[in-house]
Each structure stands twice: as C-alpha cells, then as structure tokens.
Amino acid sequence: MTASDNFSASSEGALERLAAVIESRKAANGGDPEKSYVARLLHKGPDAFLKKIGEEATEVVLAAKDADHGGDKAKLLYEVADLWFHTMIALSHYGLTPAQVVAELERREGTSGLAEKAARKA
C-alpha cells in the first residue's frame, strides 16, 4: 500500500463518518435544530446551506489569495474544510454521498481536463 493509498482510505473513512453524522442530524432521523448546527441548516432548507457554501467558497478564494502573498496556508486548509463540510450537508439533503463524488472523480481519472470539459459541451 502506498502513502496515497493510505491517504485515500483514511480520507474516505473520515468523509463517510462525517456523512453519517450529517445524515443522523436530519429531522427524519431525530435531528433537533435546537441542539445541532447541521439540523438547524437542514431545517432552514436549501437557501440556508447553499448560502453557507457560497460564503465558504469566497473565504477559500480569499485565503488562497492571502497565501499567494505570504499569508498562512493553514487558513486555506481551514476554509476548504468548512467548504467541504457545508457541501456535504448539501449532498446529504439531495440524497447523494461523498462516495459518489469520489466515484465521479475516479471516473474522470486519466482524462484530460480539457477533453472532459469539451465532452460536457457535446
């Protein structure tokens, strides 16, 4: 097993565990908006978590720009983690999983980004 295999297995496990927690916060699974941030976002509906995704994406861009000018790269990691987290809430809401995202990335593996983008337009 290579270091990248370890990272992949570990990362997918962490994403699966987080997805399970998010799933448990849905109202249908007993999630309480008074006791859980995730349950509160889900209770408020897509506008709430989609707004958070937009905010976090902007914070990723700003942290990356700061890193380009000597800023702390750890801030970029922190903001990407927030973005992934809120994106996972959206995935759960729409009945999708991180494993499906990984499968899509694997499907694209070895395909030129330019070729993949051109295929979407065809």
Side-chain angles (χ1 to χ4, degrees):
M1 189 178 273
T2 68
S4 65
D5 291 335
N6 274 338
F7 175 79
S8 177
S10 172
S11 299
E12 287 182 48
L15 292 174
E16 288 173 11
R17 290 188 302 276
L18 179 55
V21 169
I22 291 168
E23 195 67 24
S24 76
R25 300 302 195 259
K26 287 182 170 180
N29 297 325
D32 182 352
E34 297 297 318
K35 297 180 180 177
S36 165
Y37 172 72
V38 172
R40 186 174 308 143
L41 281 178
L42 290 168
H43 176 75
K44 289 180 178 180
D47 284 350
F49 57 78
L50 295 174
K51 179 180 177 186
K52 284 301 295 180
I53 290 170
E55 291 171 6
E56 298 302 342
T58 299
E59 290 173 6
V60 166
V61 170
L62 294 173
K65 297 294 269 180
D66 287 348
D68 282 340
H69 299 287
D72 185 4
K73 291 179 185 177
K75 175 99 167 117
L76 178 58
L77 288 173
Y78 180 87
E79 296 302 345
V80 169
D82 282 352
L83 177 60
W84 285 17
F85 173 76
H86 288 90
T87 302
M88 288 179 65
I89 293 170
L91 287 173
S92 178
H93 174 79
Y94 293 107
L96 301 169
T97 67
Q100 290 173 291
V101 176
V102 170
E104 175 60 17
L105 291 171
E106 288 172 341
R107 184 191 69 77
R108 296 180 188 186
E109 190 174 3
T111 303
S112 159
L114 296 174
E116 196 277 331
K117 187 172 181 178
R120 281 191 251 159
K121 293 181 180 179

